[in-house]
Amino acid sequence: MRIIKSLSLLVLIIVLCTVLIPAASAHRVHLREQVMDVQIKAWYGGGDPMPNADVKIYSIRDEQEKLYLEGKTDENGLYYFAPELGTTSYRVVVELTGHKGELEFDLTAGSQPENVELPLYLSVLVGFGFLAGIGGIAAYLSARKMKAQ
Amino acid sequence: MVHISDGILPWELLLSGWAITAVILACTLIWMKIDDVPKLSVITAAVFVASLIHFQAGPTSVHLVLSGFAGVTLGILAYPCIFIAVVMQAFLFQHGGVTTIGINTVNMGVPALISFFIFKAGMKLNIGISKNEILFGAIAGGTAVALAVLLLAVELLLTGEEFTEVTTFVVAAHIPVILVEAIFTGVIVGFFATVKPEMLSIKKRL
């Protein structure tokens, strides 16, 4: 009789524990990162975005290139696309009324640094320097000619 | 805009662009004197950076060309000016392409030459207003851009029917540029005629 009482008490304690303990699942939690979108950013020299430009995405597989997607950039010069399953190499051509840019990339290689081009003010200075050089040489030759006369 | 990038036009057009540019360049350079070079350099510097002055026209951004300005200030030498500017824009700003330097120079250089002839012919006319250089400067400036866009439109339409929409878009986007350049060239020619007449391609008859 005593044993039955003790067993009943034990069962009661177990039932209470099960009810009162916060719900916990024994299922294992799995996490996996997945990059769904590739962002293409198009901008003009000087930093202005290239909105509404035609975008063509070519997927490259076994050195064979085929047109994968076509679209337009948004007002910030951005275009998003989901990569093709199993293809990591792409060539992107962005074009707007005669302005055209191309980029070939591999998703496994990571993004290229953005500012690889010469800063705009330096490009302007290079151009001015070049022209000033031509003008200067010509002015010098012209002055020598006048002196000789 | 008016700069065409690599890989759009067929090779026949690119080749004819280079051929026309080579012939006109050779003719103008034979005619050029060493004394003209400093002025050529200064105007080329202005044309070179003009493509950086851009503004919004509808959904796209367009930039100044200044080919009319080159025409009225340099005369025949506007062609080498445009050529050098296009080469530098292609390599330094990545505007246009390398294979298209020839055709891009034709597109902007030939209208520059025509604008010079318009300006020259206009100044010979006696229309009875005192500041006729402003009027003809403005006409030359506007015409140069309009003709450049026209040439570009013809080339794109010759390339294929798929460019019809783009062509309409390009022409419409350049209407404000035509107006801005007409005003700019008119004002600058008026200023030069008063302050520094030797900057103009023709001698002003007082």
Side-chain angles (χ1 to χ4, degrees), chain B residues 10-199:
Chain B
W11 64 269
E12 296 94 332
L13 267 176
L14 296 179
L15 215 62
S16 27
W18 278 107
I20 298 168
T21 294
V23 171
I24 304 180
L25 259 187
C27 295
T28 48
L29 290 178
I30 288 168
W31 187 82
M32 186 176 79
K33 294 186 202 72
I34 192 83
D35 303 350
D36 299 324
V37 180
K39 184 175 153 190
L40 175 68
S41 302
V42 172
I43 304 293
T44 307
V47 177
F48 161 61
V49 290
S51 67
L52 294 180
I53 305 169
H54 47 73
F55 48 89
Q56 210 66 24
T60 186
S61 113
V62 287
H63 60 74
L64 295 185
V65 187
L66 291 196
S67 47
F69 167 69
V72 296
T73 48
L74 289 172
I76 305 271
L77 293 181
Y79 206 84
C81 159
I82 299 284
F83 176 73
I84 299 166
V86 167
V87 170
M88 293 200 328
Q89 284 164 349
F91 285 105
L92 292 170
F93 300 155
Q94 282 78 47
H95 282 188
V98 178
T99 56
T100 54
I101 287 173
I103 195 87
N104 281 335
T105 310
V106 172
N107 286 352
M108 289 174 261
V110 171
L113 293 179
I114 295 173
S115 74
F116 160 62
F117 292 121
I118 291 174
F119 182 63
K120 197 175 165 187
M123 293 302 283
K124 276 185 188 160
L125 288 177
N126 194 358
I127 55 163
I129 54 168
S130 58
K131 292 275 180 193
N132 58 348
E133 66 273 2
I134 298 179
L135 175 71
F136 288 109
I139 293 173
T143 315
V145 184
L147 287 175
V149 175
L150 187 75
L151 280 175
L152 177 79
V154 170
E155 284 150 15
L156 287 177
L157 289 177
L158 279 177
T159 305
E161 276 181 17
E162 69 268 27
F163 287 105
T164 316
E165 201 186 328
V166 174
T167 309
T168 325
F169 185 63
V170 167
V171 173
H174 278 83
I175 294 169
V177 185
I178 295 173
L179 293 175
V180 169
E181 292 227 4
I183 296 167
F184 174 81
T185 316
V187 169
I188 207 103
V189 166
F191 175 74
F192 280 159
T194 321
V195 179
K196 215 164 173 53
E198 63 269 27
M199 279 305 280

Side-chain angles (χ1 to χ4, degrees), chain A residues 44-45 48 51-52 54 95-100 117-118 120 123-124 126-128 130-132 134-135 138-139 141-142 145, chain B residues 1 3-8 34-35 37-38 41 44-45 48-49 52 54 59-61 63 84 88 92-94 166 169-170:
Chain A
Y44 294 109
D48 282 359
N52 215 27
D54 293 321
E95 195 203 323
L96 178 67
T97 56
H99 293 108
K100 191 175 171 187
E117 64 178 33
L118 204 63
L120 188 65
S123 300
V124 174
V126 169
F128 275 8
F130 176 70
L131 290 169
I134 297 181
L141 292 175
S142 169
K145 203 171 86 182
Chain B
M1 189 249 103
H3 296 72
I4 304 175
S5 301
D6 291 325
I8 293 177
I34 192 83
D35 303 350
V37 180
S41 302
T44 307
F48 161 61
V49 290
L52 294 180
H54 47 73
T60 186
S61 113
H63 60 74
I84 299 166
M88 293 200 328
L92 292 170
F93 300 155
Q94 282 78 47
V166 174
F169 185 63
V170 167

Side-chain angles (χ1 to χ4, degrees), chain A residues 91-111:
Chain A
R91 188 167 72 91
V92 179
V93 180
V94 180
E95 195 203 323
L96 178 67
T97 56
H99 293 108
K100 191 175 171 187
E102 268 191 54
L103 174 71
E104 205 173 312
F105 61 92
D106 195 291
L107 293 176
T108 52
S111 185

Side-chain angles (χ1 to χ4, degrees), chain A residues 17-42:
Chain A
C17 282
T18 332
V19 173
L20 294 175
I21 287 173
S25 167
H27 295 152
R28 197 177 153 194
V29 177
H30 295 275
L31 293 177
R32 180 187 169 206
E33 91 290 354
Q34 193 167 12
V35 182
M36 296 303 289
D37 271 354
V38 178
Q39 186 200 60
I40 301 294
K41 183 182 172 190

